[in-house]
Structures are given as C-alpha cells and as structure tokens.
C-alpha cells in the first residue's frame, strides 16, 4: 500500500492518504480530543452518470435516469439482516445519499467504531438484487418522486436547471422520473454496480477518534480486490446559450419562490478556484451585509429567505440567487442592474477583504467537526485535490481574481424560475 502524509503548514493540520491494495483510496484524519467518529464510503457516481463505458464494453452504455439513486436504496438490503438493523444494534447513526455526481454511505458513532466500519465495508461490497426486491423498491421511489414533484422548493430548482441547460443531465431529478425508473431492473442495477462500485472508483474517508492501524487492519480484512476497468463517463455537448429565459408554474405556496441562475462554463481543473471566486463575489454583492440585501429587505422586495452562492459539481457550474418575493420578476431586474453596476465600477478593496476574511473563517471552522472534515476529504479526493487546497486558494485569492470572475459573468445568459401561488 502507498501511504502519504498530507500536511498543511498554514493550519498546522495533517491527514493520511492511502492507496489500498484493493484499489480503494483511503483518507484517515485522526482528531485528538474528539470522542466520535464519522465515516463515508463513497463512489464517484451520481445522477449525471447515465452514459458510460469500461474496457469490458464495446461502446458507451446509456441507462435510465435515477438509477444511481435506485441503487443506493437497494444496497442497504441483503440476504441477511438489512444494514440499518445491524447499525441499530451498535448504536451508530447510519445513512446514505445520492447527489448529482456522487453516492455515499455513512455512519457516525462514539462507540464500537471497528464493528461499524466492518458493517459499512461489507454491505456496500455485497449487492443483493432480485426481481422481487427491485420491484418492491420501485413503489417506494415512485412515492418519493411524487413527494418532490409536490415540493415548491424542489420544483423551482429543477425548473431553473431545465431552463438553463439543453442537454446536461443535471437538469433531471436525481431520483429520475416515474417513466425512467419503470425501466430499471436487477440486470441494469448489477451493470451499474459493477461499473461504478469498483473500488478504484471509490474512496473511504474517516475522521475523528480512530486508531489508524486498526482501521487499516479492518480494510485489509474486508476489502475485495478490484481490477481497474478504465471507467469513462460520456460528456454531453452543452451549448453556451440558455434554453429558456423564464419559467413559471403555480403550486400550493403562500408567497412566490424564485431561483435566478447564471450559466457559466468552467474547466474541471479550475472548478475549485472558480467556486471560491464566485462564492466570494456573490457574497460581496448579495450577502446580508451588503447594500443589495439591506436596501431591498427594508423595502419589502425580499425577505430573510434570500440567499446567493454557487451551484456546481462535475460538469456543471452556475451562479445562483434565490428566495421569496411577491414580485420575483422585479428582483430579477434589480439583480441584473446591480451586477451591471458592479461590472462598471469593480469590487472595492475593503468589501473584498471583509468577505474574504469571513469565508476563510468559515473554512477554518470545519476542523471543529468530524462530519465536515470527512465530507471535505471525500469532495477533495473526487476532485483530485487535497483537503487543504480550499484554504490555500482562498488565502491566495486577490481582488483581481474577483473582478476577473465578475468580468466573465454573462448577465443576460441567465434564467429565472418561479413558483407562484395557485390563486395568484
């Protein structure tokens, strides 16, 4: 096994990264003074990965939308006791999630860590799909999809993505559609499992009260060797222009919701830098300490649900302003006007320094949470970065970086998604 110590002289922290003989990347962050531990076993596999190939495939394979999420549901079930039952006996809190670009299985505990880790590693490596249990799960996921279809917050987001993107699969609900999941069967689940749950495409991240040597002993005992099959995911062509300027639907809500999205194209190798630049930029212009928020909050145009930031992941990147307003179209115009003025004048040095310090401070707070550290390690590993890159880049960020990011923002290449009350 290749073992390396990843250090940061800036924050005086370090962690261990190992390429295990099974093919799995393992990141371990012992944290002195903590009683709890948090473990994430993740696959670089999310809802956007619907077209792919490996060395075993003659051509690219396309699978139904929602299959990554479906697979996450099914892995907790096996021939013996379901994984949740095993965790409940140890007192651990266990869960899982599927996002646009990753799937992860996790637990947190303050006792019986070794036993919990063994449960986690074993059940994720032991799929059990039958025609009967796959069909049973379909009804459960259908209900979940219907629930999200009835959620104004969920719909305002995905309607915005469908207006922003022509072809990018990020526009499709993570759970898929009732029509797409109807096509999923055990053969497709095994195909996706064997493709994406190859340990060479996965990472184990653990932070907190752990013994490194014991943890690696459990890995040696439970991890099965995986041959790297050379996984390739297909990248769809996405036009520069948005698909639709405005989209509005009526649902059961008390006040209109809106999401404003600015379409950006960022190289994967520069995604972290741009995430930091645009996060700082949008906080300067639209944050609660800025003129925009205070002026329009006092006037009643927006309320305290207003926020701004960055929506990004593997293959997608957008600036986002969202909230509630009785006149969301007016908010959209004010947002664009404010950005135009900022482009003309540039960002002031003092505003930049204040927000940079705030962002940097929030990043340092991560080291007080085992969950935050483990999650950040997983994000970094899947982005082919190290955990400390975020802090280092933020520390090096200059006012010129922020103004340069602002200059690249195409204000008109944006959309507004709205959900309005049924009786409006």
């Amino acid at each position: 096994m290749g073992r390396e110590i990843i250090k940061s002289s800036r924050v005086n922290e370090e962690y261990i990264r190992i390429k295990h003989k099974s093919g799995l990347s393992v990141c371990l962050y012992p944290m002195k003074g903590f009683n709890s531990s948090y473990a994430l076993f993740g696959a670089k596999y999310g809802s956007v990965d619907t077209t792919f190939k490996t060395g075993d495939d003659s051509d690219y394979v396309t699978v139904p939308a929602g299959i990554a999420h479906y697979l996450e549901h099914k892995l907790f079930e096996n021939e013996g006791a379901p994984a949740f039952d095993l965790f409940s006996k140890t007192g651990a809190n266990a869960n899982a999630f599927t996002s646009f670009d990753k799937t992860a299985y996790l637990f947190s505990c303050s006792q019986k860590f070794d036993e919990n880790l063994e449960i986690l590693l074993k059940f994720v490596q032991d799929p059990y799909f039958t025609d009967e249990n796959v069909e049973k799960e379909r009804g459960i996921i259908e209900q979940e999809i219907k629930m999200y279809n009835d959620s104004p917050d969920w719909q305002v987001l995905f309607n915005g993505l469908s207006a922003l993107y022509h072809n990018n699969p990020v526009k499709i609900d993570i759970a898929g559609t009732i029509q797409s999941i109807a096509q999923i069967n055990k053969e497709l689940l095994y195909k996706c499992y064997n493709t994406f749950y190859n340990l060479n495409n996965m990472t184990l991240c653990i932070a907190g009260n752990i013994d490194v040597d014991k943890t690696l002993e459990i890995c040696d005992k439970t991890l099965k060797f995986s041959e790297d099959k050379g996984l390739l995911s297909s990248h769809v062509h996405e036009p520069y222009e948005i698909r639709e300027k405005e989209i509005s639907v009526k649902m059961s809500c008390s006040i209109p919701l809106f999401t404003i999205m600015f379409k950006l194209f960022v190289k994967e190798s520069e995604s972290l830098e741009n995430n930091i630049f645009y996060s700082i930029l949008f906080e300067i212009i639209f944050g609660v300490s800025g003129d925009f928020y205070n002026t329009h909050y006092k006037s009643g145009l927006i309320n305290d649900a207003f926020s701004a930031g960055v929506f990004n992941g593997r293959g997608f990147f957008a600036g986002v302003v969202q909230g509630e307003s009785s006149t969301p179209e007016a908010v959209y115009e004010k947002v664009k006007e404010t950005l135009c003025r900022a482009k003309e004048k540039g960002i002031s040095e003092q505003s930049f320094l204040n927000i940079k310090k705030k962002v940097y401070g929030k990043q340092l707070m991560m080291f007080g949470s085992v969950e935050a550290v483990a999650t950040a390690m997983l994000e970094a590993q899947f982005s082919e970065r190290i955990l400390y890159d975020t802090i280092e880049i933020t520390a090096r960020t200059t006012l010129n970086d922020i103004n340069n990011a602002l200059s690249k923002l195409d204000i008109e290449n944006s959309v507004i998604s709205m959900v309005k009350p049924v009786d409006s």
Side-chain angles (χ1 to χ4, degrees), residues 24-27 39-42 117 120-121 202-206 219:
L24 182 70
S25 294
V26 180
C27 297
L40 280 161
F41 193 12
L117 179 59
L120 177 69
L121 297 182
M202 301 184 74
T203 295
L204 174 67
C205 295
I206 306 172
C219 290

Side-chain angles (χ1 to χ4, degrees), residues 60-81:
Y60 279 93
V61 176
T62 297
V63 295
I67 197 165
H69 171 259
Y70 207 122
L71 184 53
E72 174 226 311
H73 272 235
K74 291 309 307 164
L75 266 192
F76 276 99
E77 186 174 347
N78 53 42
E79 288 189 272

Side-chain angles (χ1 to χ4, degrees), residues 67 70-79 105 123-124 126-135 137 184-194 197:
I67 197 165
Y70 207 122
L71 184 53
E72 174 226 311
H73 272 235
K74 291 309 307 164
L75 266 192
F76 276 99
E77 186 174 347
N78 53 42
E79 288 189 272
Y105 303 83
F123 91 80
V124 174
D126 188 26
Y128 175 63
F129 311 139
T130 67
D131 292 330
E132 292 76 19
N133 68 30
V134 171
E135 187 58 40
E137 200 69 34
I184 295 172
N185 55 38
K186 71 176 183 181
E187 289 76 21
L188 285 175
L189 288 173
Y190 274 119
K191 172 65 178 176
C192 291
Y193 178 87
N194 291 328
Y197 284 69

